[in-house]
Structures are given as structure tokens and as C-alpha cells.
Amino acid sequence: MTSPNLFLIYVTDVERSVAFYSDLFDMQPQTITPRYVPFEIAPGILFALWSGRAEQVTPDLPRTCEVGLMLPGAQSGVDDRYAEWSAKGVTVVEELHDDVFGRTFVVADPDGNLIRVSPLG
């Protein structure tokens, strides 16, 4: 059985997006090329930024998927991450609230790609 091992996010400005995601997730890229920047998030699993389809990334394009960050521990960890990211000035798309899977909120990267934070399990 083969599992997905690359999660590709379309961006318009690689340099700006590398700075955003490096700061937000406190991670550094494996390598940097002019249009493709991978971050190894687990052994053999990449989260990558790609500007090869930048013309398709427009503000009016509906976003139908999200990058997810599931936090271990108490649900208050989600509240703490919300406060931390809000202090950084990220764009909040969905305010902090309770949903069927627990405490959650959604922010957007500079290109409007969605990032959801929720509890693990």
C-alpha cells in the first residue's frame, strides 16, 4: 500500500510564503529553489510550496481544502495557538469556536490558502 507523501500548496510568491510558513510552524525548508520549496514534516513526508501554478492562485478562487495542524494535549492548546498566531497578525478566517471535533479556528496564508488548527483526537 502506498500512502500520500507530498502535500503541495500553490503560492504566488515563494519567498514570502517560505517566510510565512517558516515563522508560523517554526520549521525550515529542506532546500530552496526559485519555484519549489519542500519542508520535511516527518521522515519521507513533504509539505511543499510551489509557484508553478501561480496564475491559478487568485483571491476569488474558492478554497476547498485546508492544511491542518492537530495539537496534542488539552483543548486550551488551541486557544493558546490562536492567541500566538493572532499576535503575529495572521489573517483569521474563522474565529476560535467549538465544533464537532473540538476547539478550532482557521487562518489564511498570504495567498488565501486555509490553515485549520484543532485538537488531536
Side-chain angles (χ1 to χ4, degrees), residues 18-30:
V18 167
F20 176 84
Y21 282 102
S22 292
D23 179 56
L24 198 67
F25 292 130
D26 191 25
M27 63 182 184
Q28 295 303 311
Q30 265 189 326

Side-chain angles (χ1 to χ4, degrees), residues 97-117:
H97 66 281
D98 293 316
D99 213 318
V100 295
F101 45 79
R103 203 84 171 128
T104 189
F105 68 93
V106 178
V107 300
D109 76 1
D111 288 300
N113 296 304
L114 303 176
I115 305 161
R116 177 178 299 278
V117 177

Side-chain angles (χ1 to χ4, degrees), residues 15-91:
E15 188 175 312
R16 176 184 68 186
S17 295
V18 167
F20 176 84
Y21 282 102
S22 292
D23 179 56
L24 198 67
F25 292 130
D26 191 25
M27 63 182 184
Q28 295 303 311
Q30 265 189 326
T31 188
I32 297 176
T33 71
R35 294 183 0 183
Y36 175 79
V37 178
F39 296 84
E40 186 172 43
I41 56 175
I45 300 176
L46 298 178
F47 171 86
L49 307 173
W50 188 41
S51 66
R53 300 249 190 247
E55 71 281 354
Q56 296 177 1
V57 181
T58 62
D60 59 334
L61 178 70
R63 300 312 199 264
T64 58
C65 64
E66 301 172 342
V67 171
L69 176 62
M70 298 174 72
L71 300 174
Q75 300 241 357
S76 62
V78 174
D79 292 1
D80 294 343
R81 189 60 53 105
Y82 178 82
E84 177 188 330
W85 286 7
S86 293
K88 290 178 186 261
V90 299
T91 301

